[in-house]
Amino acid sequence: MITKLVEEFVNRFRKQPEHLFFCPGRVNLIGEHIDYNGGKVMPCAISMGTWLAISKNTDKRLRFECLNFPEKAELHLQQSYTKSGGQWFNYPLGVINEIMQNNSAISGLDMLFAGNLPIGAGLSSSASIEVLTAFALNEMFVLNFSRKEIALLAKKVENGFIGVNCGIMDQYAVAFGKKDNAILLDCDTVEHEYLPLDLGEYIMVIINTNKPRKLVDSKYNERFTECGMALKALKKELPANNLCEVSFHEFSDQRHLINDPVLEKRALHVISENFRVGEAKDALKAGELYTLGKLMFASHQSLKDFYEVSGKELDCIVDFCKTFPDCIGARMTGAGFGGCAIALVKKKSFENFTKKLTVYYEKQIGYKPEVFASDVGDGVMEII
Ligand code: GLA
């Protein structure tokens, strides 16, 4: 990827790139749809991601090109920008726009991006390109942002410029990823601890449903609003700042306040999922992988029944996983409505798992999934 990127950069811009950067994507082991409810989540960075070759220019232009898309943009350097349609370059543009609000010292830039994350498949391709751009500008213009500030800036771009009410999980995970570690992130305090991810004879498998994802952003924003409504109702009696501050006990006592069966289900997922993350942390620390696997299955069930963000494709994968003897846990990962599932599968059974799952899925769904073994990698970095 790097050789191709440099060659293409030279072809397109007639000079060598001054810098090369990489930012991974992420999977989330457990703790789904609770980051924007102040919960704890357990993502990890993966080895697939997004690369950037970049140089300053003196002609006051921002040039955005990408090996994955034919669309390019060339914009005059100005004080602010607005989102243009649904183009890929809105993500880096939003980041530059945000940075320029407080730093006028940014020069023109020639940028060539490339990625190997399936786009929009729930592996955080958008957080990856946002954090990548912010990290690159931070290094090149010595802006002195910490990794946390970079993650928060990227989230602000996703919320404001792009218009998705996402939480902090994705941007944080790709900024703070650590090889062979999961990140236990408290989304209320925005502090983390690393949890060594020793999977022993198991590996983490990513299964892309290959389902064309539609309306994900609007459905996502709908869930965000529903959680706000459930919290507002509970607040009549409980002094909670977010749903994850509500204990099971408090919820059982006060759930009648919500007075809407749909909102009650949403809250039930959030509160139970946050609890499962705590149990998953203990299981991982004690090396009890079976328990972790069981919690993953339970998380999926709750996302399916109570949060209603799964779908027949993701359910088909998880159903298969439950019947495969060498798989101890599986669940959808990310926002849902298609995208990817993850599974813990015995290393020696990976090929057999892939073969059987592909046949099963194709028979039920009508097309093939993509199955790959995943590494747990580091966060955003400059490549020397
Ligand atoms: C998307 C969002 C995250 C998180 C997950 C669901 O990936 O970007 O902030 O809410 O969905 O857990």
Side-chain angles (χ1 to χ4, degrees), residues 246-320:
V246 179
S247 68
F248 259 139
H249 184 69
E250 288 169 324
F251 181 65
S252 316
D253 281 356
Q254 306 290 355
R255 58 192 293 173
H256 62 276
L257 291 172
I258 300 181
N259 202 21
D260 176 325
V262 172
L263 299 186
E264 218 176 307
K265 281 198 288 185
R266 305 298 187 245
L268 177 59
H269 165 72
V270 170
I271 294 163
S272 62
E273 182 75 352
N274 197 41
F275 185 74
R276 278 187 288 274
V277 177
E279 293 197 309
K281 171 191 166 180
D282 295 344
L284 205 53
K285 282 193 164 170
E288 289 164 5
L289 289 181
Y290 284 101
T291 309
L292 177 65
K294 279 201 181 113
L295 290 163
M296 289 168 72
F297 280 134
S299 165
H300 185 84
Q301 200 65 38
S302 173
L303 287 155
K304 175 180 181 231
D305 297 339
F306 302 135
Y307 217 66
E308 295 177 285
V309 291
S310 184
K312 67 175 193 310
E313 299 79 4
L314 288 164
D315 294 343
C316 171
I317 292 167
V318 174
D319 287 347
F320 171 84

Side-chain angles (χ1 to χ4, degrees), residues 126-260:
S126 56
S128 178
I129 192 169
E130 288 160 356
V131 168
L132 177 68
T133 309
F135 186 87
L137 267 70
N138 189 44
E139 296 297 306
M140 291 172 74
F141 298 103
V142 199
L143 304 175
N144 294 318
F145 292 141
S146 64
R147 279 181 187 252
K148 185 164 162 177
E149 286 167 331
I150 288 174
L152 288 167
L153 185 147
K155 174 184 182 286
K156 195 171 170 197
V157 171
E158 187 79 39
N159 295 159
F161 198 86
I162 304 295
V164 180
N165 285 319
C166 69
I168 185 65
M169 173 171 75
D170 303 349
Q171 291 80 6
Y172 201 96
V174 303
F176 281 92
K178 184 171 166 189
K179 191 165 173 40
D180 297 331
N181 278 259
I183 305 163
L184 181 67
L185 169 63
D186 181 329
C187 301
D188 190 27
T189 58
V190 197
E191 298 292 335
H192 74 277
E193 66 176 284
Y194 289 112
L195 300 175
L197 196 56
D198 181 4
L199 296 179
E201 55 180 337
Y202 290 87
I203 50 170
M204 190 162 56
V205 178
I206 300 179
I207 306 116
N208 185 355
T209 58
N210 280 332
K211 178 189 182 183
R213 292 216 295 173
K214 289 186 209 127
L215 296 175
V216 180
D217 292 354
S218 63
K219 284 276 171 206
Y220 186 92
N221 287 345
E222 187 182 293
R223 292 297 177 277
F224 178 88
T225 308
E226 288 168 344
C227 288
M229 288 159 71
L231 176 65
K232 195 169 164 211
L234 290 171
K235 272 179 132 175
K236 283 181 226 148
E237 292 293 334
L238 297 171
N241 292 314
N242 60 57
L243 275 183
C244 289
E245 272 180 23
V246 179
S247 68
F248 259 139
H249 184 69
E250 288 169 324
F251 181 65
S252 316
D253 281 356
Q254 306 290 355
R255 58 192 293 173
H256 62 276
L257 291 172
I258 300 181
N259 202 21
D260 176 325

Side-chain angles (χ1 to χ4, degrees), residues 26 28 31-36 124 166-170 220 334-335:
R26 66 99 191 86
N28 185 20
E32 214 65 86
H33 281 280
I34 60 171
D35 59 346
Y36 52 88
S124 291
C166 69
I168 185 65
M169 173 171 75
D170 303 349
Y220 186 92

